Structures are given as C-alpha cells and as structure tokens.
Amino acid sequence: MSVYIHSHMDPASDVHDDLKEMLDSNKDSLKLEAMKRIVAMIARGKNASDLFPAVVKNVACKNIEVKKLVYVYLVRYAEEQQDLALLSISTFQRGLKDPNQLIRASALRVLSSIRVTIIVPIMMLAIKEAASDMSPYVRKTAAHAIPKLYSLDPEQKDQLIEVIEKLLADKTTLVAGSVVMAFEEVCPERIDLIHKNYRKLCNLLIDVEEWGQVVIINMLTRYARTQFLNPNINEGGGGEKTFYGSDEEEDEDEEEKEKKPYVMDPDHRLLLRNTKPLLQSRNAAVVMAVAQLYFHLAPKAEVGVIAKALVRLLRSHRFTQFTYLFSHLYVSQGMFEPYLKSFYIRSTDPTQIKVLKLEVLTNLANETNISTILREFQTYIKSMDKDFVAATIQAIGRCATNIGEVRDTCLNGLVQLLSNRDELVVAESVVVIKKLLQMQPEKHSDIIKHMAKLTDNIQVPMARASILWLIGEYCEHVPKIAPDVLRKMAKSFTNEEDIVKLQIINLAAKLYLTNSKQTKLLTQYVLNLAKYDQNYDIRDRARFIRQLIVPTEKSGALSKYAKKLFLALKPAPVLESPFKDRDHFQLGSLSHLLNAKAGGYQELPDWPEAAPDPLRAQRGGEGVCAGTFDLCFPFSSEQSSEEEERKHERKSKPRKSDSESESDEEEESESESSQSESEDSESEAEVKKKKKVMIHRKRNRYRKKPYGAAESKPPSKPVKTESKKEKKEMSLLDLDDCEFFSSLALKNYELLHRITGEGLSVEYCFSRQPFSPDGNMVAVQMQFTNNATSDTKNLHMEDVKLQSGMRVKEFPEIELLPAGETATAVMGIDFCDSTQAANFQLCTHTRKFFVSIQPPVGELMRPVFLTENEFKKEQGQLMGMNEITERLTLDVKCRNEHAIVQRVTTAANLSRVPCGSDKECRFAGKTVTSGSLVLVTVATKEEGAAQLTVNCEKMVIGTMLVKDILLALTQ
C-alpha cells in the first residue's frame, strides 16, 4: 500500500527508486509488479529510460511472465540504450533457444531492435534460424525482423532474399502477411519469387489476419498488372491492324477475333474469386483494398459488386474519405445512383467529409435527379459552417455548368442568395454568378443590373471586385447604370481594398473607350487618385492605362489597339472539380487522397501488351523452370544463367565433351584447349556458341575483381591457350576499347591561378586510372608550373579538411621546382561517393594557399564491362525508385552514335555495353567507394528526340549524373 501512496505523492525520481528496489528484490512477485507498472508507464507515454540498467538485470529471470515484460521494455528502449543492450547480447542469444516460443520471438525482436552495425552477422544468423523454427509465431517474428536488418545494412539483401524465398513457401496463414510485407520492403522487383506461391497466397487470403490481407492484396494487384492481360482490352473494338496486311488477311484476323473472344486467365479469375468474399470484412481497410483491386483488375461489367460494400462503409462512418474518392471515380458508370441518399450530408460530418460528399452528389447529378439534389443544396446553404456553404454554392454553379436545362434555375436561385444577410454567402454567390453570366451575358442583363445595385451593401472585397468586373465587361448591356457605378466608386476609391481599386481602374478604362462623353472626367479623376496610391501595382496600372487610352504625342503604336485589348471577348470559365486528375494515382493509396506523390509510393504497372508466357501457369505447382525465368524475368542470379548456358552446350555437343561444364578453372582450361585443337571438325554455329560462353565467363571474372587490385601479380594458375579465332575476337574487343578511351580528352581544372599563387599555377585532372595504393580512391593528377623567376621549393600538402568518411593520400613532396619548369604528381582521394570538396593547404617554402578539389559525379565511377544479357538483368533489378528517366532533344552535333558515346563517356567514367539495337547506347560502371552499380541508356528517336535512363543503386548519384549527361548531350 505504501508503494502506491509514494507513486502518487512523491516526485518521479522517488517512484523510480522504489521500482529499482522492487526489481532488485529476490521475489518474483515484486519484480512482476514492478514490470507491470513500468510497462503501464510506457503505455501512457511516460519516460522510463533511466530504469534500463535495473530492467536489463532481470533479462535472465527464470519467471516467464517477468521475462516477457522485460523483453517488451527492451524492445522499446534498445535503440536508445545501445551500449547497455549490447552487454546483454549473450542473454538474448540464449533466449533464442528458449523452449517457450514467446521468449524466442521476443529475444529476436529485441535483437533486431538494436541498431548497431557490429551485430549484423548475429542478427542474420538469428533470422535464418528463426525462419526454420517449428513455431509459426517465431517465423512471423523473423519476417518482421527482415526489413529492420535491411534498413540497417542493405548489403545483406541477397541473404535476406533467400530467407524471404524460404518464408514465402510457408503454408501457415500467420506468416503469409508478414513475409509479403518483408518482400515489399526489401525486394518488390523480384516478382519471380511470387510465381510458385501465387495460387497458395490466393487460397490462404481468406484466413490471413486482416492487416496481412491488405498487404497481400496490394502486392497481388501489382503482380496481376504485370502477368495478365487487360480484361477490357476488346471493349472499344478490335486490336490494331497490320500495316502491310491485305484486306483478306484483315478480314481473317477479324473473324479469328470474333471466334476467339478474350478468355480470362484462370489465375486472374482465381484472384478475383478469392478476394470477393472479403468485401464483407469488418475491417474497412480490407474492403478498400479489395475495391481498388477490382477497380484496377476486374472487367468493367464486374466492378459494380463493390458499390454495395462501399456504401456500407459510408453508412457505418468507417474509412469515409477513401470511400468518397472511390465513389467520385465510379459515378460516371452510374454505379452509385441507387444509393444517392447515402451521400446526403449530416450535421455531424466534419467539413472535409461534407466537401467530399458534395463532390459525389455533383457528379451524380443528371436530368432526372437534379431537382432533388438542388433541394438538398438549398438546405445546406442554411448551415452555420461557412466553408461548407461556400462549397455548396460552388457545387450549384458546377451543376448549372454541366446540365444546361437547369442553368436558369440555378442562376435565379443564386440571385436570391444576394439578399442573404451573411456577407460570405453573398460574396460566394457573386463569384459563381459572374462565371455563369459569362456563358450567356446577353440573356441576363437584368441580373447584372440587380448586382450593380448591391455595390452599396456588399463589403467583401472579392464580391465587390467581381461585380465591378461584370459591369465593366458588359457595360454595353447596362449603358445607364455603369457610369453611375463608376461615380460612386470614385468617391470611395481611397478607402477600397487593392483588389477593388484595380477593378475600378479597369471599369474606368472600359467606360472611357465606350462612353467617353459621360465618363471622361471621371476616368481622369480615378487615374489621378491611383497615380499616388501607396500600392505600386495600382500606380503602375494607372500609368499604363493612361498612356494606352489617352493618346498623346509620346504614346506608342499600342494605343491604337486599346479597344481590342480591353474589350476583347473572354472565354467562359470552366468550373472544374477540385479532384480532377486524381485518378492517375492508385486508388486507396495516400497519394490518391493527397493528390500528390507521397514518399514510398509505387506506380501501378501498365498492363502487358502481349500475352504472358504460357509456361507461367506452372508456377502454381512445381514452379517455372529455370529457363523460363531467364527468358521472362531478368532477376535470376548469374549462376543460374551460366548453368543454363552450360546445359545448352551439353545438348549441342557429343557426350564426351561433358567435362567442359565443370566449374574448376583448371579443368575448364584443359577442355577449352582441347576444343581449340578440334575446332575445325565442328560446325561454325557450335564454335560461335562456345566462344560466346567463354567470353561471357571471362568478363564475369574480370568484372568481379576489385578495382585496382593485383592486376600486376602473376596468375596463380597456368594461362589457358585460346583458339586463333577466339584470340582475334578478344583482341578486337580490347583494341576497340583502347582506341576509344585513348581518344577521350581529360578535362583539366584550375586549382591555383598563377596570379593568386604568385607565379605558381596548378591544374588537376581525374586521370581515370587505378590508384594503386588504394582501390577505393580516385586518382587525381596534378600539374605544377612555376611561372616565376625564382625557384619554388618544398611543394607539399597540409591541414587537410574533409567531410566524414573521406580520406586523402597526399602526393609526394616536390623538393625543387625550377623557374619555368613543370612537374607532375598524383594524389588519391576517397570521396565516399559524394561530390563534397576536399579542402587543404598547398604549401611552398614561403607561402600557403587554401585550395579545394570538388569532383564531378561522373569521376566517382569506374567502368564495368557487361554483356548485353548481363546489362538487362542488372537493369531489371534496378527499377522503380532506382530509375530516373528524362526526355531530351539532342544537340545538332550529337545525333549520331559516335558523338553520343563520346559525350557520355566524357561526362562519366563508364564503359560501353554491346547492344543489338542501333538506336540505343548503353553504358555501365560502378561507384569507386561502395561499388554501387550505375547503368545508363540513351535511346534515340526521330528528329533528335531521345530518352535518357539512369539506373543506380544510389539515387543521389543517379540524380546528379542525369543532370551532367543531359548537359553534355544538349549543348
């Protein structure tokens, strides 16, 4: 009892002291009570971090209930108290072996919450073991830990993908949603992992937990858009005709299409059939996920099934905002017309929901129900919510615009609102009436006269400005009233708001041009008042209009066209929906609600143009064969592609050459040397195939070497002999590359000007050569020139200032540089894949100069030699957020392949990649420090148009590289 009294009476520190005493006790009951109170504190948002040492002591407690609560606490504070949490790593590892599944899962959860790079191997091992655990709850926790480890160390992606692939094969509903979430976070581009699990996921969907259902449905929506044909493909008529086909062939094609209508893929139908029952889910998010799936995947004739479910959400006030947005897009199909009353607005609805309901009602309006909707709008105008009333008046205006039969009715109703006591209602009505009158001003001169009489009573600036604009625009329809309105406005000109003053000046100018006898003096008076106004916009407008409408000797030729400028016919405004152009975002997404691309948003893929590979249907059973993966999806590993090539070789060779498929390089070299001897006896096709495979393997081995590593060391194994034809092909490849790169002129940058350096000038360039002391550094070649009359001594570097992570290898000191002489030195800089400058002092025996070297992003790369297939495979892995595409118009001098290659490789240190198309140029490289892959594609079109695509693991580098290459190709 005393403990509880202290907890309410004493300061927080005393409460924590009592808890620490209870945690240090030998009684499990006191420890359990203390942990319950601590967890309750955390739940209420109170800080309990100072209890971390006392809680960690009990992580090895034998009481299961205490241990569970300790793990709950550690998950909350492990990231904040990393040092103390690291001391308990061994305890967590023992917890991974605990017989209780909850303890094993909690231990893994805590371990994955300690965000320290040093324990990444331990976390990886724990996740792999947990993925094979007998308990589905532990496997589910392993799936949750995968994104945490990936965010901590993205280099573990390959190993994590293996774990994801294993967990995707799990048949337990408890694991399915979590592993799909991990798949979406780590490798959403690896669609090939879903093939063999697709049908299983569809069948398990009904039994998965609710939030897991949402994740799986969203993933399957994107998957289906890449694997199935558009079910509405034939709705608008037949497909495109062949250009060179004869009329008879076209008739035959049309007959075949009529005989063979679109048949939905069974797997496509399976997805729609298994998700339909989820429209009855109690979770609104599940219903919305199914609704967006049907909207994006189902035939239009079947989309109507979701209307009832969405209306049910409306009536239950759950997930209303997204429901309204769905309704807004579906109204064109008449799907929600039977549920019109469900969109009537209640007084308890928040303003945002009221506006959305108004939007749906406006879109549902047609000739048959417009009278009912207008009566409903009349009720809304009496609301106390002024923003809602304004939105209602705008909705009436849109109804009048869309349905011509009720335009006069709406206009008369809005005119009646002009006598409303509320100024905001009158002001909004004036603005809407102004827009409606522009459509047929000659028929409504009485309304313009009525509005002119309101200038004495309406004080809202926007409304007064709108009335003056109307009178000035249609002054010919009210020739007697307009001058009198100008007279009244001239009296109150100095007291009006700026927006009203501008319209008074416009009204005066228009009346001067159409009725100068009555308004000449008034116009001059108004312009004189405006000439000395405090607002410069009004002063400038007055001077400009005076010179335009009152011609003088100094007036230019523009005054002749004053009437055409002021009295030109203005197009009638279009009252558009504020939700226009929102449907390009995926329905149900945050981006769709905000009408702006939110962080992490993934574009919904387009439907494939051609039917998918029929072998894809095997995914529901044993999975697609490896060969199909290579043909359809560029996501398989290099090893699998090499194995496929070896299998292909075996099929085309006699049995005695099977030894060539061994992975050992010695056996491979022996088989290739024997092959060169018997080359003449084989067919030419087989020889070309073998050479292609050998070149592919050679380049793979070369590409995997670290940059600048051990090229000068002799090979540890005997060099294999090559055939004459192979030697010739390889030498041609090397010769082409050497000739091309030798023709590139390296750009020189000024480091120190001779005037600033008192006779010493320094230039530097990025030599694009390996920096032998350290492969992660960029080689910078510096040229020192002594323009002075005396010698320069002891040239060296001092006081190097770098950003975090950057390193510099200084150039050797130049002891003596005679007058008029030049010296060269090389230094290495590790820029850490950033364009931050390296700052240092360049020192001589007498002076010190502050200088800096900032690299272009293209110099932070090294070339990588890829084959065409390798390029496509790597590019397929770097889609989505790792891809940047820009359209451009090539410079006139840069519209041939040679010029494009020269400019791109000058802008960036990349290598050319072979390409079968003459309208594409491909380049590849890796960043020097992190080894992140960089792929560049320039696709040319007619008349100099081109498309630049950069795929890069680091988006910052990709964005900067796009700018540099665009500049190189367009100037």
Side-chain angles (χ1 to χ4, degrees):
M1 185 66 181
S2 62
V3 174
Y4 285 99
I5 293 174
H6 276 292
S7 67
H8 290 286
M9 302 292 293
D10 294 352
S13 60
D14 295 337
V15 175
H16 290 181
D17 288 341
D18 293 342
L19 292 173
K20 290 176 183 177
E21 291 178 7
M22 296 171 70
L23 290 171
D24 290 336
S25 172
N26 294 327
K27 295 182 180 180
D28 289 344
S29 59
L30 289 177
K31 291 181 179 181
L32 182 60
E33 180 65 24
M35 287 307 306
K36 286 182 178 179
R37 289 172 56 189
I38 292 171
V39 172
M41 288 171 56
I42 297 173
R44 292 196 298 269
K46 294 184 178 180
N47 185 16
S49 58
D50 58 336
L51 291 167
F52 196 91
V55 174
V56 169
K57 293 177 185 177
N58 295 280
V59 74
C61 181
K62 294 182 179 180
N63 187 292
I64 297 298
E65 297 300 322
V66 174
K67 187 177 284 190
K68 288 181 188 176
L69 295 177
V70 169
Y71 278 128
V72 170
Y73 177 89
L74 292 177
V75 169
R76 169 64 179 83
Y77 288 108
E79 187 171 351
E80 296 180 12
Q81 304 282 346
Q82 293 179 357
D83 295 337
L84 290 174
L86 285 174
L87 298 176
S88 306
I89 289 292
S90 58
T91 308
F92 302 144
Q93 288 179 291
R94 286 196 299 271
L96 294 171
K97 305 294 183 182
D98 195 279
N100 191 317
Q101 62 172 353
L102 297 178
I103 299 300
R104 297 199 301 274
S106 298
L108 179 59
R109 195 177 294 116
V110 176
L111 198 62
S112 60
S113 299
I114 304 174
R115 299 185 61 78
V116 180
T117 311
I118 195 172
I119 67 167
V120 165
I122 299 175
M123 291 172 59
M124 176 58 72
L125 184 61
I127 290 174
K128 287 183 177 179
E129 291 179 354
S132 304
D133 197 280
M134 294 295 292
S135 168
Y137 181 70
V138 178
R139 299 198 297 272
K140 176 187 180 72
T141 307
H144 288 165
I146 289 173
K148 295 181 183 179
L149 179 55
Y150 178 70
S151 65
L152 180 61
D153 187 5
E155 294 182 0
Q156 304 295 324
K157 182 175 181 177
D158 293 338
Q159 296 186 56
L160 292 175
I161 289 176
E162 294 177 3
V163 181
I164 291 173
E165 186 174 8
K166 183 177 182 179
L167 290 174
L168 279 172
D170 199 303
K171 298 181 181 180
T172 311
T173 56
L174 192 63
V175 182
S178 301
V179 68
V180 170
M181 174 61 79
F183 169 82
E184 291 283 83
E185 291 286 337
V186 177
C187 54
E189 75 281 356
R190 289 291 303 271
I191 296 180
D192 56 304
L193 298 179
I194 305 299
H195 291 327
K196 54 189 174 184
N197 301 298
Y198 172 79
R199 291 177 183 168
K200 181 194 70 178
L201 289 173
C202 290
N203 293 324
L204 288 179
L205 194 56
I206 195 70
D207 297 319
V208 176
E209 60 178 343
E210 293 174 339
W211 297 111
Q213 289 173 344
V214 175
V215 174
I216 294 174
I217 290 171
N218 290 332
M219 184 274 292
L220 291 178
T221 301
R222 292 191 297 107
Y223 175 86
R225 286 291 290 253
T226 62
Q227 301 303 309
F228 307 128
L229 286 177
N230 186 355
N232 303 306
I233 192 171
N234 295 327
E235 186 169 313
E240 296 182 0
K241 298 179 180 180
T242 56
F243 184 78
Y244 293 103
S246 62
D247 294 338
E248 296 178 359
E249 291 175 348
E250 292 173 2
D251 294 339
E252 291 176 1
D253 292 340
E254 290 179 1
E255 290 177 2
E256 288 181 1
K257 289 178 182 177
E258 292 176 357
K259 294 178 183 178
K260 298 180 181 180
Y262 169 77
V263 178
M264 184 177 289
D265 189 296
D267 287 339
H268 192 173
R269 175 56 62 191
L270 174 70
L271 177 60
L272 296 175
R273 184 171 62 248
N274 286 12
T275 52
K276 186 176 179 180
L278 296 179
L279 288 171
Q280 307 302 321
S281 174
R282 294 175 299 175
N283 190 310
V286 176
V287 179
M288 297 302 297
V290 177
Q292 63 91 13
L293 182 142
Y294 264 76
F295 179 81
H296 292 298
L297 300 181
K300 289 186 177 180
E302 300 179 20
V303 174
V305 299
I306 69 172
K308 190 173 183 180
L310 291 175
V311 171
R312 179 171 57 85
L313 292 185
L314 272 173
R315 292 170 179 170
S316 61
H317 295 280
R318 290 184 296 167
F319 230 60
T320 47
Q321 295 189 25
F322 283 124
T323 306
Y324 298 143
L325 294 178
F326 269 96
S327 308
H328 167 62
L329 292 176
Y330 285 134
V331 289
S332 59
Q333 303 174 13
M335 189 189 308
F336 288 93
E337 279 193 40
Y339 309 102
L340 180 66
K341 292 185 179 179
S342 298
F343 297 97
Y344 284 178
I345 295 165
R346 304 179 184 181
S347 58
T348 55
D349 290 335
T351 303
Q352 186 177 6
I353 301 303
K354 290 178 181 177
V355 173
L356 286 166
K357 281 188 174 183
L358 276 176
E359 177 66 23
V360 176
L361 287 172
T362 305
N363 283 278
L364 283 172
N366 53 38
E367 291 81 358
T368 57
N369 60 19
I370 185 63
S371 57
T372 305
I373 292 176
L374 287 178
R375 281 198 300 271
E376 189 72 15
F377 285 171
Q378 287 177 357
T379 306
Y380 300 159
I381 291 172
K382 300 175 184 178
S383 172
M384 298 299 293
D385 188 343
K386 303 307 176 186
D387 294 335
F388 171 52
V389 172
T392 303
I393 295 173
Q394 293 175 8
I396 294 174
R398 286 184 55 205
C399 289
T401 304
N402 298 334
I403 305 171
E405 290 81 355
V406 297
R407 185 172 300 162
D408 293 340
T409 304
C410 293
L411 198 54
N412 292 330
L414 291 172
V415 171
Q416 293 177 7
L417 293 178
L418 296 178
S419 59
N420 195 291
R421 295 180 181 178
D422 194 328
E423 289 187 359
L424 292 176
V425 175
V426 176
E428 196 65 40
S429 302
V430 168
V431 174
V432 175
I433 290 172
K434 167 198 162 188
K435 294 179 180 178
L436 293 177
L437 287 179
Q438 282 185 260
M439 298 178 184
Q440 294 175 326
E442 64 282 352
K443 294 183 180 180
H444 303 288
S445 57
D446 293 338
I447 296 177
I448 299 175
K449 293 177 183 177
H450 179 68
M451 294 177 68
K453 296 176 182 178
L454 296 174
T455 52
D456 296 334
N457 300 324
I458 296 177
Q459 301 300 324
V460 178
M462 179 57 73
R464 291 174 69 83
S466 298
I467 293 174
L468 294 175
W469 185 91
L470 271 176
I471 295 172
E473 187 68 18
Y474 306 114
C475 56
E476 296 177 356
H477 299 286
V478 284
K480 295 182 180 179
I481 295 178
D484 198 45
V485 171
L486 180 61
R487 179 182 60 79
K488 291 181 178 181
M489 291 296 105
K491 287 183 179 180
S492 61
F493 183 87
T494 55
N495 298 324
E496 298 288 351
E497 295 290 334
D498 291 344
I499 188 174
V500 180
K501 289 180 180 178
L502 291 172
Q503 292 302 328
I504 293 173
I505 296 173
N506 287 344
L507 173 63
K510 292 175 182 178
L511 288 176
Y512 182 88
L513 294 172
T514 57
N515 190 2
S516 59
K517 292 182 180 180
Q518 288 183 299
T519 60
K520 182 176 181 179
L521 295 177
L522 274 174
T523 301
Q524 292 179 356
Y525 177 70
V526 168
L527 292 177
N528 287 333
L529 289 175
K531 182 178 179 181
Y532 301 102
D533 197 88
Q534 294 181 353
N535 188 295
Y536 60 84
D537 282 337
I538 296 172
R539 297 197 301 269
D540 291 347
R541 179 77 62 87
R543 293 190 184 99
F544 171 73
I545 288 178
R546 185 189 297 275
Q547 293 296 324
L548 198 60
I549 65 175
V550 185
T552 61
E553 295 179 356
K554 298 181 179 179
S555 299
L558 195 62
S559 60
K560 300 177 182 178
Y561 306 99
K563 285 191 176 182
K564 291 185 178 180
L565 289 173
F566 283 99
L567 304 177
L569 293 176
K570 279 80 172 177
V574 179
L575 299 175
E576 295 181 339
S577 166
F579 299 97
K580 185 185 178 184
D581 298 330
R582 191 180 290 250
D583 53 349
H584 60 275
F585 292 110
Q586 183 174 350
L587 268 72
S589 63
L590 179 62
S591 300
H592 179 238
L593 177 65
L594 301 176
N595 200 20
K597 193 170 184 178
Y601 174 75
Q602 294 183 1
E603 296 284 351
L604 193 67
D606 293 328
W607 292 102
E609 296 181 359
D613 193 332
L615 291 177
R616 177 187 50 77
Q618 298 177 10
R619 64 176 177 269
E622 300 175 358
V624 187
C625 62
T628 309
F629 275 2
D630 288 341
L631 290 172
C632 300
F633 303 98
F635 306 114
S636 55
S637 63
E638 294 182 13
Q639 183 178 2
S640 62
S641 63
E642 290 184 8
E643 288 175 359
E644 276 305 304
E645 291 174 339
R646 290 170 185 169
K647 289 178 182 178
H648 199 66
E649 285 182 296
R650 293 193 199 106
K651 292 179 182 179
S652 61
K653 293 182 185 179
R655 292 182 62 87
K656 64 181 181 180
S657 63
D658 286 345
S659 60
E660 291 180 12
S661 64
E662 296 295 326
S663 62
D664 191 347
E665 289 185 7
E666 293 181 1
E667 295 181 8
E668 182 181 318
S669 63
E670 292 176 5
S671 62
E672 288 171 359
S673 61
S674 62
Q675 173 193 349
S676 64
E677 295 174 0
S678 59
E679 185 176 345
D680 295 333
S681 61
E682 294 177 329
S683 65
E684 185 178 353
E686 289 178 338
V687 172
K688 288 182 178 179
K689 194 178 297 181
K690 293 173 189 175
K691 287 190 293 184
K692 184 178 179 182
V693 173
M694 287 188 290
I695 294 171
H696 172 70
R697 292 176 187 166
K698 283 183 179 183
R699 288 195 169 183
N700 274 348
R701 287 197 292 271
Y702 175 75
R703 186 165 56 92
K704 292 175 183 176
K705 288 182 181 179
Y707 185 60
E711 280 90 348
S712 60
K713 293 182 180 180
S716 59
K717 296 182 180 180
V719 180
K720 61 184 179 182
T721 59
E722 299 169 350
S723 65
K724 295 179 180 179
K725 291 184 179 180
E726 183 185 347
K727 284 183 178 179
K728 182 177 180 181
E729 185 172 351
M730 292 298 293
S731 63
L732 285 175
L733 285 170
D734 297 338
L735 181 62
D736 290 343
D737 291 340
C738 293
E739 286 180 354
F740 179 76
F741 287 112
S742 64
S743 65
L744 289 178
L746 298 177
K747 186 176 180 181
N748 288 328
Y749 302 89
E750 185 178 69
L751 185 66
L752 184 65
H753 193 268
R754 60 185 178 82
I755 297 177
T756 309
E758 298 180 359
L760 177 66
S761 63
V762 184
E763 291 185 343
Y764 68 93
C765 69
F766 298 93
S767 64
R768 298 189 176 181
Q769 297 296 324
F771 188 69
S772 55
D774 191 334
N776 288 335
M777 288 188 172
V778 176
V780 181
Q781 183 174 330
M782 307 177 68
Q783 183 174 347
F784 304 89
T785 304
N786 187 359
N787 301 293
T789 55
S790 58
D791 296 346
T792 300
K793 301 177 182 179
N794 302 331
L795 267 170
H796 63 283
M797 294 170 56
E798 286 183 5
D799 192 20
V800 180
K801 294 182 180 180
L802 305 173
Q803 297 293 329
S804 176
M806 292 173 58
R807 297 178 295 120
V808 165
K809 179 68 174 176
E810 301 178 2
F811 62 86
E813 181 179 348
I814 301 176
E815 297 181 356
L816 178 64
L817 182 61
E821 295 293 329
T822 299
T824 304
V826 178
M827 64 182 295
I829 306 178
D830 181 2
F831 289 101
C832 277
D833 292 348
S834 73
T835 55
Q836 296 290 335
N839 303 302
F840 57 92
Q841 287 186 2
L842 189 62
C843 304
T844 66
H845 65 294
T846 57
R847 287 294 306 274
K848 294 182 178 180
F849 307 99
F850 290 93
V851 294
S852 64
I853 296 178
Q854 185 172 13
V857 68
E859 302 298 342
L860 301 176
M861 304 167 191
R862 61 170 181 248
V864 173
F865 298 96
L866 300 178
T867 63
E868 185 173 5
N869 290 335
E870 288 174 335
F871 183 91
K872 291 180 180 178
K873 181 183 71 175
E874 298 289 357
Q875 191 179 44
Q877 294 177 339
L878 296 174
M879 303 293 283
M881 296 298 292
N882 292 323
E883 182 176 276
I884 306 171
T885 302
E886 292 287 346
R887 299 183 183 276
L888 67 150
T889 302
L890 295 172
D891 182 41
V892 179
K893 300 178 181 178
C894 185
R895 296 188 178 180
N896 59 74
E897 182 179 358
H898 178 75
I900 292 174
V901 173
Q902 186 173 9
R903 294 200 183 190
V904 172
T905 50
T906 301
N909 189 16
L910 303 171
S911 67
R912 179 78 184 278
V913 177
C915 180
S917 172
D918 58 349
K919 291 189 176 182
E920 273 194 10
C921 296
R922 296 172 179 168
F923 309 87
K926 281 188 176 181
T927 57
V928 175
T929 302
S930 64
S932 301
L933 196 61
V934 180
L935 305 176
V936 177
T937 306
V938 180
T940 58
K941 301 176 182 178
E942 293 79 9
E943 298 180 357
Q947 178 171 303
L948 171 64
T949 304
V950 174
N951 301 82
C952 184
E953 295 177 20
K954 289 193 173 184
M955 284 300 295
V956 177
I957 288 181
T959 304
M960 292 189 292
L961 184 61
V962 165
K963 293 180 181 178
D964 288 358
I965 296 179
L966 280 175
L967 193 63
L969 294 176
T970 54
Q971 291 187 356

